[in-house]
Coordinates of all heavy atoms in Angstrom, one line a residue:
A130 N 99.1 106.5 109.2 CA 99.2 107.1 107.8 C 98.4 106.2 106.8 O 98.2 105.1 107.0 CB 100.7 107.2 107.5
D131 N 98.1 106.9 105.7 CA 97.2 106.4 104.7 C 98.1 106.1 103.4 O 98.4 107.0 102.7 CB 96.1 107.4 104.4 CG 95.1 106.9 103.4 OD1 95.4 106.0 102.5 OD2 94.0 107.4 103.4
V132 N 98.3 104.8 103.2 CA 99.2 104.4 102.1 C 98.6 104.8 100.7 O 99.3 105.3 99.8 CB 99.5 102.9 102.2 CG1 100.3 102.4 100.9 CG2 100.4 102.6 103.4
D133 N 97.3 104.6 100.6 CA 96.7 104.9 99.3 C 96.7 106.4 99.0 O 97.0 106.8 97.9 CB 95.2 104.4 99.3 CG 95.1 102.9 99.2 OD1 96.1 102.3 98.7 OD2 94.0 102.3 99.5
A134 N 96.5 107.2 100.0 CA 96.6 108.7 99.8 C 98.1 109.0 99.5 O 98.3 109.8 98.6 CB 96.1 109.4 101.0
G135 N 99.0 108.3 100.1 CA 100.4 108.5 99.8 C 100.8 108.2 98.4 O 101.6 108.9 97.8
E136 N 100.1 107.2 97.8 CA 100.4 106.8 96.4 C 100.1 108.1 95.5 O 100.8 108.4 94.5 CB 99.6 105.6 96.0 CG 99.9 105.2 94.5 CD 99.4 103.9 94.1 OE1 98.5 103.4 94.9 OE2 99.8 103.3 93.1
T137 N 98.9 108.7 95.8 CA 98.5 109.9 95.0 C 99.5 111.0 95.2 O 99.9 111.6 94.2 CB 97.1 110.4 95.5 OG1 96.2 109.2 95.3 CG2 96.6 111.6 94.7
V138 N 100.0 111.3 96.4 CA 101.1 112.3 96.6 C 102.3 111.9 95.9 O 102.9 112.8 95.2 CB 101.3 112.4 98.1 CG1 102.5 113.4 98.4 CG2 100.1 112.9 98.9
F139 N 102.7 110.7 95.9 CA 103.9 110.2 95.2 C 103.8 110.4 93.7 O 104.7 111.0 93.1 CB 104.1 108.7 95.5 CG 105.4 108.2 94.9 CD1 106.6 108.3 95.7 CD2 105.5 107.7 93.6 CE1 107.8 107.8 95.3 CE2 106.7 107.2 93.2 CZ 107.9 107.3 94.0
N140 N 102.6 110.1 93.1 CA 102.5 110.2 91.6 C 102.6 111.7 91.2 O 103.1 112.0 90.1 CB 101.3 109.5 91.2 CG 101.4 108.0 91.3 OD1 102.5 107.4 91.3 ND2 100.2 107.3 91.4
A141 N 102.1 112.6 92.1 CA 102.1 114.0 91.7 C 103.4 114.7 92.1 O 103.7 115.7 91.4 CB 100.9 114.7 92.5
N142 N 104.2 114.2 92.9 CA 105.3 115.0 93.5 C 106.7 114.3 93.4 O 107.7 115.0 93.5 CB 105.1 115.4 94.9 CG 103.9 116.3 95.1 OD1 104.0 117.5 94.9 ND2 102.8 115.8 95.5
C143 N 106.7 113.1 93.3 CA 107.9 112.2 93.4 C 108.2 111.4 92.1 O 109.4 111.2 91.8 CB 107.8 111.3 94.5 SG 107.0 111.9 96.0
A144 N 107.2 111.1 91.4 CA 107.4 110.1 90.3 C 108.3 110.7 89.1 O 108.9 109.9 88.4 CB 106.1 109.7 89.7
A145 N 108.3 112.0 89.1 CA 109.2 112.6 88.0 C 110.6 112.1 88.1 O 111.3 111.9 87.1 CB 109.1 114.2 88.1
C146 N 111.1 112.0 89.4 CA 112.5 111.5 89.6 C 112.5 110.0 90.1 O 113.5 109.4 89.9 CB 113.1 112.4 90.6 SG 113.3 114.1 90.1
H147 N 111.3 109.5 90.7 CA 111.4 108.2 91.3 C 110.4 107.2 90.7 O 109.9 106.3 91.5 CB 111.1 108.4 92.8 CG 112.2 109.1 93.6 ND1 113.5 108.6 93.6 CD2 112.2 110.2 94.2 CE1 114.2 109.5 94.4 NE2 113.4 110.5 94.8
A148 N 110.0 107.4 89.5 CA 109.0 106.4 88.9 C 109.5 105.0 89.1 O 110.7 104.7 89.0 CB 108.8 106.6 87.4
G149 N 108.6 104.1 89.5 CA 108.9 102.7 89.8 C 109.9 102.5 90.9 O 110.5 101.4 91.0
G150 N 110.0 103.5 91.8 CA 111.0 103.4 92.9 C 112.4 103.5 92.5 O 113.4 103.3 93.3
Q151 N 112.6 104.1 91.3 CA 114.0 104.3 90.8 C 114.4 105.7 91.1 O 113.8 106.5 91.8 CB 114.1 104.0 89.3 CG 113.7 102.5 89.0 CD 114.5 101.5 89.8 OE1 115.7 101.5 89.7 NE2 113.8 100.8 90.7
N152 N 115.6 106.1 90.5 CA 116.1 107.5 90.8 C 116.8 107.9 89.5 O 117.9 107.4 89.2 CB 117.1 107.6 92.0 CG 117.5 108.9 92.3 OD1 117.6 109.8 91.5 ND2 117.6 109.1 93.6
V153 N 116.2 108.9 88.7 CA 116.7 109.3 87.5 C 117.9 110.2 87.6 O 118.7 110.3 86.6 CB 115.7 110.0 86.6 CG1 114.6 109.0 86.3 CG2 115.2 111.2 87.1
I154 N 118.1 110.8 88.8 CA 119.3 111.7 88.9 C 120.5 111.0 89.5 O 121.6 111.1 89.1 CB 118.9 112.9 89.8 CG1 117.8 113.7 89.1 CG2 120.1 113.8 90.1 CD1 117.3 114.9 89.9
M155 N 120.3 110.2 90.6 CA 121.4 109.4 91.2 C 121.0 107.9 91.2 O 120.3 107.5 92.1 CB 121.6 109.9 92.6 CG 122.2 111.3 92.6 SD 122.8 111.7 94.3 CE 124.3 110.7 94.3
P156 N 121.3 107.2 90.1 CA 120.7 105.9 89.9 C 120.8 104.9 90.9 O 120.0 104.0 91.1 CB 121.4 105.4 88.6 CG 121.9 106.7 87.9 CD 122.2 107.6 89.0
E157 N 121.9 105.0 91.8 CA 122.1 104.0 92.8 C 121.2 104.2 94.0 O 120.8 103.4 94.8 CB 123.5 103.9 93.3 CG 124.1 105.1 94.0 CD 124.5 106.3 93.2 OE1 124.1 106.4 92.1 OE2 125.2 107.2 93.8
K158 N 120.7 105.6 94.2 CA 119.9 105.9 95.3 C 118.4 105.7 95.0 O 117.6 106.7 95.0 CB 120.3 107.3 95.8 CG 121.6 107.4 96.3 CD 121.9 108.6 97.1 CE 123.2 108.5 97.8 NZ 123.6 109.7 98.6
T159 N 118.0 104.5 94.8 CA 116.7 104.2 94.6 C 115.8 104.1 95.9 O 116.4 104.4 96.9 CB 116.6 102.8 93.9 OG1 116.8 101.8 94.9 CG2 117.5 102.6 92.7
L160 N 114.5 103.8 95.7 CA 113.7 103.6 96.9 C 113.4 102.2 97.1 O 112.5 101.8 97.8 CB 112.4 104.4 96.6 CG 112.5 105.9 96.1 CD1 111.1 106.5 96.0 CD2 113.4 106.7 97.0
E161 N 114.3 101.3 96.7 CA 114.2 99.9 97.0 C 114.8 99.6 98.3 O 115.6 100.3 98.9 CB 114.8 99.1 95.9 CG 114.1 99.4 94.5 CD 114.5 98.5 93.4 OE1 114.4 97.3 93.5 OE2 115.1 99.1 92.5
K162 N 114.4 98.4 98.9 CA 114.7 98.0 100.2 C 116.2 98.2 100.5 O 116.6 98.9 101.5 CB 114.3 96.6 100.5 CG 114.3 96.2 101.9 CD 113.5 94.8 102.0 CE 113.3 94.4 103.4 NZ 114.0 93.2 103.8
E163 N 117.1 97.6 99.7 CA 118.5 97.6 100.0 C 119.1 99.0 99.9 O 120.0 99.3 100.7 CB 119.2 96.6 99.0 CG 118.9 95.2 99.2 CD 117.5 94.7 98.7 OE1 116.9 95.5 97.9 OE2 117.0 93.7 99.0
A164 N 118.6 99.7 98.9 CA 119.2 101.1 98.8 C 118.8 102.0 100.0 O 119.6 102.7 100.6 CB 118.7 101.8 97.5
L165 N 117.6 101.9 100.4 CA 117.1 102.7 101.7 C 118.0 102.2 102.8 O 118.3 103.1 103.7 CB 115.6 102.5 101.9 CG 114.7 103.1 100.8 CD1 113.2 102.9 101.2 CD2 114.9 104.5 100.5
E166 N 118.2 100.9 103.0 CA 119.0 100.5 104.1 C 120.4 101.0 104.1 O 121.0 101.3 105.1 CB 118.9 99.0 104.2 CG 117.6 98.4 104.7 CD 117.4 96.9 104.5 OE1 118.2 96.3 103.8 OE2 116.3 96.4 104.9
S167 N 120.9 101.2 102.8 CA 122.3 101.6 102.7 C 122.5 103.1 102.8 O 123.5 103.5 103.3 CB 122.8 101.1 101.3 OG 122.8 99.7 101.2
Y168 N 121.6 103.8 102.2 CA 121.8 105.2 101.9 C 120.9 106.2 102.7 O 121.3 107.4 103.0 CB 121.6 105.6 100.4 CG 122.5 104.8 99.5 CD1 121.9 104.0 98.5 CD2 123.8 104.8 99.6 CE1 122.7 103.3 97.6 CE2 124.7 104.1 98.7 CZ 124.0 103.4 97.8 OH 124.9 102.7 96.9
L169 N 119.7 105.8 103.1 CA 118.8 106.8 103.7 C 119.3 107.1 105.2 O 119.5 106.2 106.0 CB 117.4 106.2 103.8 CG 116.4 107.2 104.4 CD1 116.2 108.5 103.6 CD2 115.0 106.4 104.4
S170 N 119.5 108.4 105.4 CA 120.0 108.8 106.8 C 118.9 108.5 107.8 O 117.8 108.9 107.7 CB 120.2 110.3 106.8 OG 121.1 110.7 105.8
G171 N 119.4 107.6 108.8 CA 118.5 107.2 109.8 C 117.9 105.8 109.6 O 117.1 105.3 110.4
G172 N 118.1 105.3 108.4 CA 117.7 103.9 108.1 C 116.4 103.9 107.4 O 115.8 104.9 107.1
R173 N 116.0 102.6 107.1 CA 114.8 102.4 106.2 C 113.6 102.4 107.2 O 113.1 101.4 107.6 CB 114.8 101.1 105.5 CG 113.8 100.9 104.5 CD 113.8 99.6 103.7 NE 113.6 98.5 104.5 CZ 112.4 98.0 104.7 NH1 111.3 98.5 104.1 NH2 112.3 96.9 105.5
N174 N 113.1 103.6 107.4 CA 111.8 103.7 108.3 C 111.1 105.0 107.9 O 111.7 105.9 107.2 CB 112.2 103.7 109.7 CG 113.1 104.8 110.2 OD1 112.7 105.9 110.3 ND2 114.4 104.6 110.3
E175 N 109.8 105.1 108.3 CA 109.0 106.2 107.9 C 109.5 107.6 108.3 O 109.5 108.6 107.6 CB 107.5 106.0 108.3 CG 106.8 104.9 107.5 CD 105.4 104.6 108.0 OE1 104.7 105.6 108.5 OE2 104.9 103.5 107.8
K176 N 110.0 107.6 109.6 CA 110.6 108.8 110.2 C 111.7 109.4 109.3 O 111.8 110.6 109.0 CB 111.0 108.6 111.6 CG 111.5 109.8 112.3 CD 110.4 110.6 112.9 CE 110.9 112.0 113.4 NZ 112.0 111.9 114.4
A177 N 112.6 108.5 108.8 CA 113.8 108.9 108.0 C 113.3 109.5 106.7 O 113.8 110.4 106.1 CB 114.7 107.7 107.9
V178 N 112.3 108.8 106.1 CA 111.7 109.3 104.8 C 111.0 110.7 105.0 O 111.3 111.6 104.2 CB 110.7 108.3 104.2 CG1 110.1 108.9 102.9 CG2 111.3 107.0 103.9
I179 N 110.3 110.8 106.1 CA 109.7 112.1 106.4 C 110.7 113.2 106.6 O 110.6 114.3 106.0 CB 108.9 112.0 107.7 CG1 107.6 111.2 107.5 CG2 108.5 113.4 108.3 CD1 106.8 110.8 108.8
N180 N 111.9 112.9 107.3 CA 112.9 113.9 107.4 C 113.5 114.3 106.0 O 113.7 115.5 105.8 CB 114.0 113.4 108.3 CG 113.6 113.4 109.7 OD1 112.8 114.1 110.2 ND2 114.3 112.5 110.5
Q181 N 113.8 113.3 105.2 CA 114.4 113.7 103.9 C 113.4 114.5 103.0 O 113.8 115.4 102.3 CB 114.9 112.4 103.2 CG 115.6 112.8 101.8 CD 116.7 111.9 101.4 OE1 117.3 111.3 102.1 NE2 116.9 111.8 100.0
V182 N 112.2 114.0 103.0 CA 111.2 114.7 102.1 C 110.9 116.1 102.6 O 110.9 117.1 101.9 CB 109.9 113.9 102.1 CG1 108.7 114.8 101.4 CG2 110.1 112.6 101.4
T183 N 110.9 116.3 103.9 CA 110.7 117.7 104.5 C 111.8 118.6 104.2 O 111.6 119.7 103.8 CB 110.5 117.6 106.1 OG1 109.4 116.7 106.3 CG2 110.2 118.9 106.6
N184 N 113.0 118.1 104.4 CA 114.3 119.0 104.3 C 115.0 118.9 103.0 O 115.8 119.8 102.7 CB 115.2 118.5 105.4 CG 114.6 118.7 106.8 OD1 114.0 119.7 107.1 ND2 114.7 117.7 107.6
G185 N 114.7 117.9 102.2 CA 115.5 117.6 100.9 C 116.9 117.2 101.2 O 117.3 117.1 102.3
K186 N 117.6 116.9 100.1 CA 119.0 116.4 100.2 C 119.7 116.6 98.9 O 119.2 116.0 97.9 CB 119.1 115.0 100.7 CG 120.5 114.5 101.0 CD 120.5 113.1 101.5 CE 121.9 112.6 101.7 NZ 122.0 111.2 102.0
N187 N 120.8 117.4 98.8 CA 121.5 117.6 97.6 C 120.5 118.0 96.4 O 119.8 119.0 96.6 CB 122.3 116.4 97.2 CG 123.4 116.1 98.4 OD1 124.0 117.0 98.8 ND2 123.6 114.8 98.7
A188 N 120.4 117.2 95.4 CA 119.6 117.5 94.2 C 118.1 117.3 94.5 O 117.3 117.6 93.6 CB 120.1 116.8 93.0
M189 N 117.8 116.7 95.6 CA 116.3 116.5 95.9 C 115.7 117.7 96.6 O 116.3 118.0 97.6 CB 116.2 115.2 96.7 CG 114.7 115.0 97.1 SD 114.4 113.3 97.7 CE 113.0 113.7 98.8
P190 N 114.7 118.2 96.1 CA 114.1 119.4 96.7 C 113.5 119.1 98.0 O 113.0 118.0 98.3 CB 113.1 119.9 95.7 CG 112.7 118.7 94.9 CD 113.9 117.9 94.8
A191 N 113.4 120.1 98.9 CA 112.6 120.1 100.1 C 111.1 120.2 99.9 O 110.8 121.2 99.1 CB 113.1 121.1 101.1
F192 N 110.3 119.4 100.5 CA 108.8 119.6 100.3 C 108.2 120.1 101.6 O 107.0 120.3 101.5 CB 108.3 118.2 100.0 CG 108.6 117.7 98.6 CD1 109.8 117.1 98.3 CD2 107.8 118.1 97.6 CE1 110.1 116.6 97.0 CE2 108.1 117.6 96.2 CZ 109.2 117.0 96.0
G193 N 108.9 120.5 102.6 CA 108.3 121.1 103.8 C 107.8 122.5 103.4 O 108.5 123.2 102.7
G194 N 106.6 122.8 103.7 CA 106.0 124.0 103.2 C 105.2 123.9 101.9 O 104.3 124.7 101.6
R195 N 105.6 122.9 101.1 CA 104.9 122.7 99.8 C 103.9 121.6 100.0 O 102.8 121.6 99.3 CB 105.9 122.3 98.7 CG 106.8 123.4 98.4 CD 107.9 123.0 97.4 NE 107.4 122.3 96.3 CZ 108.1 121.6 95.4 NH1 109.4 121.4 95.6 NH2 107.5 121.1 94.3
L196 N 104.2 120.6 100.8 CA 103.2 119.5 101.2 C 102.9 119.7 102.6 O 103.7 120.0 103.4 CB 103.9 118.1 100.9 CG 104.1 117.8 99.4 CD1 104.8 116.4 99.3 CD2 102.8 117.7 98.6
S197 N 101.6 119.2 103.0 CA 101.3 119.3 104.4 C 102.0 118.1 105.1 O 102.5 117.2 104.5 CB 99.7 119.1 104.5 OG 99.4 117.7 104.1
D198 N 102.1 118.2 106.4 CA 102.7 117.2 107.3 C 101.9 115.9 107.0 O 102.6 114.8 107.0 CB 102.6 117.5 108.8 CG 103.5 118.7 109.1 OD1 104.4 119.1 108.3 OD2 103.5 119.2 110.3
E199 N 100.7 116.0 106.8 CA 99.8 114.7 106.6 C 100.2 114.1 105.2 O 100.4 112.9 105.2 CB 98.4 115.1 106.7 CG 97.5 113.9 106.5 CD 95.9 114.2 106.5 OE1 95.6 115.4 106.4 OE2 95.2 113.3 106.7
D200 N 100.3 114.9 104.2 CA 100.8 114.3 102.9 C 102.1 113.7 103.0 O 102.3 112.7 102.4 CB 100.8 115.5 101.8 CG 99.4 115.9 101.3 OD1 98.4 115.1 101.6 OD2 99.3 116.9 100.6
I201 N 103.1 114.4 103.7 CA 104.4 113.8 103.8 C 104.4 112.5 104.6 O 105.1 111.6 104.2 CB 105.3 114.9 104.5 CG1 105.5 116.1 103.5 CG2 106.7 114.3 104.8 CD1 106.3 117.2 104.1
A202 N 103.6 112.5 105.7 CA 103.5 111.2 106.4 C 102.9 110.1 105.5 O 103.4 109.0 105.6 CB 102.6 111.4 107.7
N203 N 101.9 110.4 104.7 CA 101.3 109.4 103.9 C 102.3 109.0 102.8 O 102.3 107.8 102.5 CB 100.0 110.0 103.3 CG 98.9 110.2 104.3 OD1 98.9 109.6 105.4 ND2 97.9 111.0 104.0
V204 N 103.0 109.8 102.2 CA 103.9 109.5 101.1 C 105.0 108.6 101.7 O 105.5 107.7 101.1 CB 104.4 110.7 100.3 CG1 105.5 111.4 100.9 CG2 104.8 110.2 98.9
A205 N 105.5 108.9 102.9 CA 106.5 108.1 103.6 C 106.0 106.7 103.8 O 106.7 105.7 103.6 CB 106.9 108.8 104.9
A206 N 104.7 106.6 104.3 CA 104.1 105.2 104.5 C 104.1 104.5 103.2 O 104.4 103.2 103.1 CB 102.8 105.3 105.1
Y207 N 103.7 105.2 102.1 CA 103.7 104.5 100.7 C 105.1 104.1 100.3 O 105.3 102.9 99.8 CB 103.1 105.5 99.7 CG 103.2 105.0 98.3 CD1 102.3 103.9 97.9 CD2 104.0 105.6 97.4 CE1 102.5 103.5 96.6 CE2 104.1 105.1 96.1 CZ 103.3 104.0 95.7 OH 103.4 103.5 94.4
V208 N 106.1 104.9 100.5 CA 107.5 104.5 100.1 C 108.0 103.3 100.9 O 108.5 102.4 100.3 CB 108.5 105.7 100.3 CG1 110.0 105.3 100.2 CG2 108.1 106.8 99.3
I209 N 107.7 103.3 102.2 CA 108.2 102.1 103.0 C 107.4 100.9 102.6 O 108.0 99.8 102.4 CB 108.1 102.4 104.5 CG1 109.1 103.5 104.9 CG2 108.3 101.2 105.3 CD1 110.6 103.3 104.6
S210 N 106.1 101.0 102.4 CA 105.3 99.9 102.1 C 105.8 99.3 100.7 O 105.9 98.1 100.5 CB 103.8 100.3 102.0 OG 103.1 99.4 101.4
S211 N 106.0 100.2 99.7 CA 106.4 99.8 98.4 C 107.8 99.2 98.4 O 108.1 98.3 97.7 CB 106.3 101.0 97.4 OG 105.0 101.4 97.4
S212 N 108.7 99.7 99.3 CA 110.0 99.1 99.4 C 109.9 97.7 99.9 O 110.7 96.8 99.6 CB 111.0 99.9 100.3 OG 110.7 99.7 101.7
E213 N 108.9 97.4 100.7 CA 108.7 96.0 101.2 C 108.1 95.1 100.1 O 108.4 93.9 100.0 CB 107.8 96.0 102.5 CG 108.6 96.3 103.7 CD 107.8 96.9 104.9 OE1 106.6 96.9 104.8 OE2 108.5 97.4 105.8
S214 N 107.2 95.6 99.3 CA 106.5 94.8 98.4 C 107.3 94.8 97.0 O 106.9 94.0 96.2 CB 105.1 95.3 98.1 OG 105.1 96.6 97.6
G215 N 108.3 95.6 96.9 CA 109.1 95.5 95.7 C 108.7 96.4 94.6 O 109.2 96.2 93.4
W216 N 107.9 97.4 94.9 CA 107.5 98.4 93.8 C 106.9 97.6 92.6 O 107.1 98.1 91.4 CB 108.7 99.3 93.3 CG 109.2 100.2 94.4 CD1 110.1 100.0 95.3 CD2 108.6 101.5 94.7 NE1 110.3 101.1 96.2 CE2 109.3 102.0 95.8 CE3 107.5 102.3 94.2 CZ2 109.0 103.2 96.4 CZ3 107.2 103.5 94.8 CH2 108.0 104.0 95.8
E217 N 106.4 96.5 92.8 CA 105.8 95.6 91.7 C 106.7 95.4 90.6 O 107.3 94.9 90.1 CB 104.5 96.2 91.2 CG 104.5 97.1 90.0 CD 103.4 98.2 90.1 OE1 103.5 99.1 90.9 OE2 102.5 98.1 89.3
Ligands
HEM583 C1 116.7 110.4 97.3 C2 111.9 110.1 98.4 C3 111.0 113.7 95.2 C4 115.5 113.4 93.7 C5 115.4 110.1 97.9 C6 115.3 109.1 99.0 C7 114.0 109.0 99.3 C8 113.3 109.9 98.4 C9 113.4 108.2 100.4 C10 116.5 108.3 99.6 C11 116.8 107.2 98.6 C12 118.2 106.5 98.8 O1 119.0 107.2 99.5 O2 118.4 105.4 98.4 C13 111.3 111.1 97.7 C14 109.9 111.4 97.8 C15 109.6 112.4 96.9 C16 110.9 112.7 96.2 C17 108.9 110.7 98.7 C18 108.3 113.2 96.8 C19 107.7 113.8 97.9 C20 112.1 113.9 94.5 C21 112.2 114.7 93.3 C22 113.5 114.6 92.9 C23 114.2 113.7 93.7 C24 111.0 115.4 92.7 C25 114.1 115.3 91.6 C26 113.9 116.5 91.3 C27 116.2 112.7 94.6 C28 117.7 112.5 94.6 C29 118.0 111.7 95.6 C30 116.7 111.3 96.2 C31 118.7 113.2 93.7 C32 119.4 111.3 96.2 C33 119.8 112.4 97.2 C34 121.2 112.2 97.7 O3 121.4 111.3 98.5 O4 122.1 112.9 97.2 N1 114.2 110.5 97.6 N2 111.8 111.9 96.7 N3 113.3 113.3 94.7 N4 115.7 111.9 95.6 FE1 113.8 111.9 96.2

């Protein structure tokens, strides 16, 4: 997957709710390392992000059908990479 392409997908589709890896709707459910380890179904890995982005969860919309599988894989790689580097 392409992390740089994933950043572009993130800025266009995710940043409204997740700017800086945060969460404006459910503040504890951030995209930071510890939160993903605690809350993401399936654990902190790209497959688990792909599943949540494709299907949505509660107030988070589903992106399956709106984004290509490639865009979703790239944005998942960007989320995991950024959770490791600390979202700067
Ligand atoms: C949760 C990624 C778009 C609202 C999450 C989580 C991930 C994620 C990985 C799990 C975080 C955790 O449990 O700590 C993304 C990506 C997006 C995106 C990659 C773009 C493709 C959005 C948008 C919204 C949103 C646009 C708001 C309209 C939420 C909410 C949760 C959440 C409310 C918590 C869901 C719950 O557990 O009840 N997101 N998100 N997300 N996201 Fe997003």
Side-chain angles (χ1 to χ4, degrees):
D131 183 334
V132 172
D133 286 339
E136 181 172 15
T137 301
V138 174
F139 187 90
N140 289 336
N142 295 280
C143 320
C146 296
H147 293 297
Q151 300 306 298
N152 188 326
V153 298
I154 297 181
M155 294 193 69
E157 72 280 16
K158 293 197 170 178
T159 72
L160 309 185
E161 295 187 65
K162 193 169 189 241
E163 293 74 15
L165 295 181
E166 284 165 356
S167 298
Y168 302 123
L169 183 59
S170 302
R173 189 179 68 89
N174 61 75
E175 290 180 25
K176 182 83 193 303
V178 177
I179 288 169
N180 285 338
Q181 179 150 335
V182 169
T183 301
N184 299 314
K186 185 179 178 187
N187 300 318
M189 175 165 152
F192 288 86
R195 294 173 55 194
L196 292 176
S197 68
D198 290 351
E199 185 180 14
D200 281 348
I201 291 173
N203 290 341
V204 81
Y207 173 71
V208 167
I209 293 302
S210 168
S211 299
S212 76
E213 277 157 11
S214 63
W216 293 94
E217 90 214 71

